[in-house]
Structure formats: structure tokens, C-alpha cells
Amino acid sequence: MGQIRAILLPGSVLPAQAAYGALIAALGPDVQAITKDLELYSGDEPPAGWSLDTEIDGVLREAHARGWETFHLVGYSGGGAAALAFAAKHPDRLLSLALLEPAWAGNWDWTPAHAELWKKYDQLETLPPEQFMPAFMRLGVRPDVVLPPPPPGPPPPWMAKRPAGIEAFLRIFKTYDLDRARLAAFRQPVFFALGGLSNPDDYGEIASRLSRVFFPDFHLEVFPKRHHFDPPHRIEPERLAELLLRHWKQAGG
């Protein structure tokens, strides 16, 4: 088998290289891992008419530029939502799918706890900028998790784009039609990494729904000490790399 080919999509906060640099180093030379920033942040404001289809088109362009007919796709948080949408529309292009706590709140039959949580996400749009990010982060973890303070000094320039980008994701979840029948027909292996300290009414329920309703070949791996904002691809890259390598080699291609 030749070199493993994978495209890695980041979440709605960190740029791709900052998010995945440690993981790529841990994956080693046998993996051609391409970090691809979200199309959402290609300009100073979200592109007009942006949707998950915009991200799908960006992945297709990246693969075409490299001559990749098939590849493995990895997505974290908002990038995980884009990866799910890609798997539904272009399953023939994927050798496997890896989801690192993907965000999703579409029109599925959620539990009351998940529905209540997303009412709180909707309320974020009413907050001033200085309160937006702390409130957003608090919703993603268990109530007893102590989140670190922001790093000292001025924020990096790219951070100014993030509230508008996160709000764009929250809006698209209300309208985007993620075809459940096509997800259920996806036969390639699916890997899901879940933090034990993440909000179980959010990412835990997404994992449960995907495993029970959609993907027939689904593997869940729990990282007990991790949560959505200290994810395994940044904090435990060696363990995640080992699991992804096993996942990809089992998938073949």
C-alpha cells in the first residue's frame, strides 16, 4: 500500500495548522496529511451564501489539485459537520471518515436535553463580543470543568473572525439538509473520538445517534480526560495518531 492520504478539517476556532500540527508530526512520514482551513475564513467576513456545501466544494478542489480520487477525511467540530456533509454527498471519494467531536444540530430526533442545550446556543447571538467566546466554550463542556483563562497578550488577528464564523455554523444547522438516508448508506469505516469531559448532551448524544441510526461500521474511542477545547489531536496526539493509523489501514486504499 502506498502513502496514506488524508485531508484534515479544523473547527471554527483554531486555524488548521495550529490545530493539527502535533498530530501530523505524530502520524509520521507514511501519511500525507493535508490540513485545510475552512472556506468560512477565506476572507474578512463569511462568504456570501456560505453553507456546508461551500466547504464540500473546497475539499473537492483540494483533492483535485493533488490528483486524489479517494482519500481519508478527518473533521473536528465545525469541520466535522463539513465532513459529515461531504460523506453524505460524495461517499465514493472517501476511504474512511474520522470525526473528532463533530458539531451538529440539524432536524434529527434529539433528546429534550440536547434540544434545550441548543436553545442556549441560539442565545449566544445576543451577547456582546467579549462575552461570546467564554459562553460558547462553557456550553461545550461538563458543568464542573474549569476552563483556562485566555492567554495573556492581544489575541491573534484571526480571532476577530471567529464569532461571526461560529454564528454562521449555528445558523446553517437550522437549514442545511443533511441526507440521513445517504449517511445510513455509508459503508466505509467511521471513527469517532469523544472527550470524557465534553458536554454529554452535545457531543455524547451526537456519537450515540451516529452509531445507532446511521453508520454500520462505527468505532467510538473515549479520551476520559479530554474535552472539546483541549481535544486529543492537540493534547494526546500520539494516542490519536496510533488509533487513526489503525483505522486507515483497516479501511485500505
Side-chain angles (χ1 to χ4, degrees):
M1 184 174 67
Q3 193 175 45
I4 296 171
R5 300 170 302 198
I7 296 177
L8 284 64
L9 302 177
S12 58
V13 180
L14 281 184
Q17 184 56 42
Y20 287 123
L23 177 62
I24 289 175
L27 287 170
D30 291 335
V31 178
Q32 190 175 359
I34 306 304
T35 59
K36 187 199 172 300
D37 281 306
L38 297 177
E39 300 291 319
L40 181 64
Y41 297 127
S42 58
D44 292 335
E45 299 289 337
W50 176 87
S51 81
L52 295 181
D53 289 338
T54 313
E55 302 299 338
I56 290 173
D57 291 342
V59 173
L60 289 172
R61 284 195 300 272
E62 186 74 33
H64 178 74
R66 298 178 182 279
W68 291 2
E69 284 299 316
T70 58
F71 51 92
H72 304 279
L73 184 61
V74 180
Y76 161 69
S77 194
L84 278 169
F86 191 98
K89 290 206 168 182
H90 299 283
D92 57 310
R93 302 297 300 271
L94 295 185
L95 298 168
S96 77
L97 183 64
L99 302 169
L100 315 177
E101 294 200 348
W104 192 256
N107 187 24
W108 294 354
D109 300 321
W110 301 110
T111 64
H114 186 92
E116 283 301 313
L117 175 66
W118 275 87
K119 289 180 182 178
K120 296 177 182 178
Y121 276 113
D122 287 342
Q123 294 167 6
L124 292 176
E125 296 185 26
T126 66
L127 297 178
E130 66 275 9
Q131 296 179 23
F132 182 93
M133 286 302 297
F136 170 71
M137 293 177 67
R138 172 49 53 193
L139 292 177
V141 298
R142 290 181 178 272
D144 57 341
V145 169
V146 177
L147 292 168
W158 49 260
M159 183 59 78
K161 302 180 182 181
R162 268 43 189 181
I166 294 169
E167 289 177 0
F169 268 111
L170 297 179
R171 289 192 296 270
I172 206 63
F173 289 150
K174 299 175 184 177
T175 60
Y176 190 83
D177 182 18
L178 183 59
D179 193 323
R180 289 187 269 185
R182 305 236 11 212
L183 286 184
F186 189 82
R187 290 295 181 265
Q188 295 88 314
V190 178
F191 172 89
F192 194 114
L194 177 65
L197 301 180
S198 294
N199 190 330
D201 294 330
D202 195 347
Y203 306 106
E205 180 161 346
I206 292 170
S208 176
R209 183 59 52 88
L210 292 177
S211 67
R212 288 187 294 105
V213 179
F214 298 120
F215 298 125
D217 188 351
F218 184 92
H219 176 74
L220 174 67
E221 194 73 32
V222 177
F223 291 73
K225 297 182 179 181
R226 301 279 68 81
H227 61 67
H228 198 67
F229 299 103
D230 69 347
H233 54 275
R234 291 174 49 215
I235 312 300
E236 297 185 47
E238 291 81 9
R239 181 187 169 199
L240 181 59
E242 181 181 350
L243 293 166
L244 285 175
L245 287 169
R246 184 186 310 160
H247 170 67
W248 291 334
K249 289 175 181 177
Q250 290 173 347

